[in-house]
Amino acid sequence: MTNVGKSSLSKNVLQMKFMQRSALQIEKEKTEEEKQKVIDDEHWVLDLPETEQKECKYIIEGNIAHIENLQFGRFSFNGCNPEVEKLMKIHNTERELEEAAAREAQNSVNDQEMAQRYKSLSQTIAKKFAKKRKRAEIDESFDKESSHVTVDEETLKKGKKKSSKRKFLKPKDD
């Protein structure tokens, strides 16, 4: 607590009778310094409510190799450093697995999409091999499946089609 520039007197010298005034003065200075430090510490404390830290928008990466997609840091060729070559193989296999998983996730088709594609393909092939008169019926049957028509509506449509023959309809006069 004493200043580095001043040389301090030993404890025994300060206890001598003729040095009592100096000892009191030094003690007084020390207590004043401590009081001043306490006041300064208390003076600069702000009584503000704690605020929540906002989530950071940025990702801080310590290694530039991840950002730039750089290769493994150390290289070894023709068996010069077998330890480094083992590390390179491990690193490369991990990287290839990650890339393969990413490609698979990007190119994969879920079950619903696959079923929809298969259904449309089967419709197309059914139309191709059907006779001309049956093609219209195939189109209607696939439309019914896709639009989820109720049983009552189907029976009404079938009843109308079977009873009516194709004949000329006169245009209405407006």
Side-chain angles (χ1 to χ4, degrees):
M1 303 259 175
T2 60
N3 293 340
V4 178
K6 291 184 175 179
S7 61
S8 60
L9 300 172
S10 69
K11 191 175 185 183
N12 292 332
V13 173
L14 290 175
Q15 288 179 353
M16 292 181 181
K17 198 165 196 172
F18 68 94
M19 294 296 288
Q20 288 295 321
R21 278 190 269 157
S22 300
L24 290 173
Q25 187 179 5
I26 291 172
E27 285 292 323
K28 189 176 181 182
E29 288 176 2
K30 285 183 183 179
T31 55
E32 286 179 11
E33 285 179 15
E34 289 175 6
K35 286 180 183 178
Q36 189 64 32
K37 284 183 184 178
V38 170
I39 291 172
D40 287 343
D41 291 342
E42 290 176 359
H43 180 71
W44 293 108
V45 174
L46 297 175
D47 295 330
L48 296 176
E50 292 184 25
T51 58
E52 294 180 17
Q53 290 183 346
K54 294 181 181 179
E55 291 184 29
C56 185
K57 297 179 189 177
Y58 308 105
I59 298 171
I60 299 170
E61 184 67 41
N63 191 356
I64 195 168
H66 297 294
I67 298 169
E68 296 290 330
N69 291 328
L70 299 177
Q71 294 182 358
F72 187 69
R74 297 176 64 190
F75 289 95
S76 174
F77 301 101
N78 298 329
C80 291
N81 194 347
E83 294 176 8
V84 173
E85 287 184 11
K86 287 178 187 176
L87 291 174
M88 285 174 55
K89 284 182 183 178
I90 292 169
H91 182 332
N92 288 339
T93 54
E94 289 175 359
R95 185 180 226 177
E96 288 172 2
L97 288 174
E98 289 173 0
E99 290 174 357
R103 280 194 307 266
E104 182 68 28
Q106 183 180 11
N107 295 334
S108 68
V109 177
N110 64 15
D111 293 339
Q112 291 177 347
E113 289 179 32
M114 184 61 104
Q116 186 65 29
R117 289 182 186 180
Y118 181 74
K119 182 180 175 184
S120 66
L121 179 66
S122 64
Q123 290 174 359
T124 306
I125 292 174
K127 283 183 192 176
K128 181 177 181 180
F129 290 110
K131 303 284 183 187
K132 282 189 176 181
R133 291 182 182 171
K134 298 278 183 174
R135 286 185 189 164
E137 294 174 12
I138 292 171
D139 286 341
E140 289 176 8
S141 67
F142 288 126
D143 289 341
K144 287 178 186 176
E145 290 176 10
S146 63
S147 65
H148 304 291
V149 179
T150 61
V151 177
D152 295 332
E153 292 175 8
E154 285 183 33
T155 55
L156 290 174
K157 287 182 181 178
K158 285 182 183 177
K160 288 181 183 177
K161 285 187 180 179
K162 288 183 181 177
S163 64
S164 64
K165 291 185 177 180
R166 292 187 180 185
K167 54 185 174 180
F168 180 75
L169 293 176
K170 228 179 192 181
K172 293 182 181 178
D173 293 332
D174 288 330

